[in-house]
């Protein structure tokens, strides 16, 4: 199985209330100061910042500017899905400080991954009602019934390990059951829609300039001189 990681924000909400929630979300991401802060916190990942040293002429400059424009749009585009099975709206959001105004709209952020053990504490799931039902069902199973249900086919190889720490296997199974629900929504197209914070060419243009200015400031070069030269060349 390929490795994966995804930071996902959950909002328990009825479908009919999603539009109202999205309006609140849009009010935050539509604020130009907020957009500028996102770019300010992320510009080191932009194509211009990483490959600007390759710019030798105007043609190079235009190419990297276009790539950075696409990066800005992607950076300020939010991916949502509505998960019917658990009655939740989900959005790909990381728990970094700039996202705090958005995260406050949600009930819980959960980080899914398969790069290390997945025996998340059962309390990790309790804020989401339908996840709580899953872990409570597993938690109350006696160890023999649990083992026979989930590991019987591997009985000879697994029993000794299971007997040493049955709760490890229970916690891991809870993760697997929840991941089976979430995977088609996170990495597939199920229930998916997108929301962009950038609504005009001028907004995108200014945010791209913000990235380029950061690059030239960092490299102690004169962005304003370059910017004015562009104006004169047009």
């Amino acid at each position: 199985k390929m490795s994966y990681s995804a930071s996902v924000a959950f909002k328990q909400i009825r479908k009919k209330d999603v539009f109202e929630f999205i309006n609140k979300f849009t009010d935050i991401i539509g604020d130009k100061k907020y957009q500028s802060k996102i770019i300010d916190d992320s510009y080191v990942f932009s194509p211009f910042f990483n490959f600007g040293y390759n710019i030798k002429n105007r043609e190079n400059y235009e190419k990297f500017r276009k790539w950075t424009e696409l990066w800005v749009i992607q950076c300020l585009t939010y991916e949502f899905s509505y998960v019917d099975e658990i009655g939740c709206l989900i959005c790909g959001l990381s728990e970094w400080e700039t996202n705090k105004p958005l995260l406050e709209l949600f009930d819980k952020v959960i980080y899914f991954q398969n790069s290390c053990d997945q025996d998340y504490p059962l309390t990790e799931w309790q804020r989401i009602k339908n996840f709580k039902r899953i872990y409570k069902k597993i938690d109350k199973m006696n160890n023999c019934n649990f083992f026979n249900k989930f590991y019987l086919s591997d009985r000879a190889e697994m029993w000794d390990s299971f007997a040493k720490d049955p709760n490890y296997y229970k916690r891991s199974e809870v993760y697997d059951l929840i991941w089976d629900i979430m995977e088609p929504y996170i990495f597939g197209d199920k229930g998916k829609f997108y929301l962009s914070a950038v609504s005009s060419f001028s907004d995108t243009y200014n945010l791209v300039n913000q990235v380029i200015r950061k690059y030239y400031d960092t490299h102690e070069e004169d962005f304003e001189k370059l910017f004015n030269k562009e104006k004169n060349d047009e």
Side-chain angles (χ1 to χ4, degrees):
K1 182 187 284 190
M2 292 180 63
S3 63
Y4 66 82
S5 65
S7 181
V8 181
F10 289 80
K11 177 66 176 180
Q12 295 169 112
I13 189 171
R14 296 174 299 181
K15 265 188 174 179
K16 68 176 187 176
D17 297 324
V18 167
F19 182 75
E20 183 180 348
F21 177 88
I22 292 297
N23 281 339
K24 294 177 183 176
F25 193 96
T26 304
D27 286 344
I28 296 172
I29 66 171
D31 182 81
K32 288 182 171 54
K33 288 182 180 179
Y34 182 77
Q35 294 172 11
S36 180
K37 185 72 168 66
I38 291 286
I39 298 303
D40 230 21
D41 288 350
S42 311
Y43 70 88
V44 293
F45 303 110
S46 70
F48 205 101
F49 197 85
N50 281 282
F51 304 107
Y53 60 86
N54 283 320
I55 295 174
K56 307 298 181 188
N57 52 48
R58 185 173 181 83
E59 184 179 353
N60 284 154
Y61 170 82
E62 293 296 345
K63 178 173 70 174
F64 284 106
R65 185 182 180 93
K66 182 62 178 177
W67 287 355
T68 300
E69 178 184 331
L70 296 174
W71 175 85
V72 164
I73 293 169
Q74 183 181 39
C75 200
L76 289 165
T77 298
Y78 298 86
E79 183 179 284
F80 290 87
S81 293
Y82 189 83
V83 186
D84 286 295
E85 293 91 326
I86 58 171
C88 279
L89 182 69
I90 64 170
C91 178
L93 278 178
S94 299
E95 287 187 284
W96 45 305
E97 186 61 28
T98 314
N99 281 334
K100 190 175 179 181
L102 294 177
L103 293 169
E104 289 174 350
L105 298 175
F106 292 86
D107 298 317
K108 176 70 176 172
V109 175
I110 298 173
Y111 181 69
F112 295 93
Q113 53 75 36
N114 65 348
S115 59
C116 62
D117 289 354
Q118 298 160 322
D119 60 323
Y120 289 18
L122 297 180
T123 52
E124 178 71 9
W125 313 109
Q126 68 182 4
R127 295 283 297 278
I128 308 302
K129 183 170 58 177
N130 285 295
F131 289 167
K132 186 176 180 178
R133 288 196 184 107
I134 293 171
Y135 88 65
K136 282 200 162 187
K137 183 177 179 180
I138 295 295
D139 194 39
K140 72 180 182 181
M141 292 177 72
N142 71 53
N143 292 342
C144 286
N145 288 344
F146 173 82
F147 185 81
N148 288 335
K149 181 175 175 63
F150 293 104
Y151 294 102
L152 186 60
S153 60
D154 302 317
R155 188 177 185 89
E157 296 81 6
M158 296 291 297
W159 176 254
D160 287 345
S161 176
F162 175 82
K164 289 177 183 176
D165 189 1
N167 286 329
Y168 171 87
Y169 287 88
K170 285 186 174 183
R171 292 191 298 266
S172 299
E173 188 59 38
V174 169
Y175 179 97
D176 286 344
L177 292 170
I178 290 172
W179 179 246
D180 285 346
I181 296 171
M182 297 308 305
E183 184 178 15
Y185 293 95
I186 295 173
F187 291 122
D189 294 326
K190 198 171 180 182
K192 193 156 284 183
F193 63 95
Y194 299 87
L195 191 64
S196 178
V198 183
S199 57
S200 70
F201 173 79
S202 62
D203 287 346
T204 308
Y205 183 85
N206 291 334
L207 290 167
V208 171
N209 281 345
Q210 181 178 331
V211 173
I212 297 173
R213 184 179 286 106
K214 284 284 186 182
Y215 174 82
Y216 284 104
D217 285 350
T218 303
H219 292 76
E220 297 182 347
E221 297 181 42
D222 188 351
F223 171 80
E224 295 301 334
K225 183 177 179 182
L226 172 74
F227 184 66
N228 289 332
K229 180 177 182 302
E230 278 191 332
K231 291 278 190 180
N232 293 331
D233 287 345
E234 290 175 353

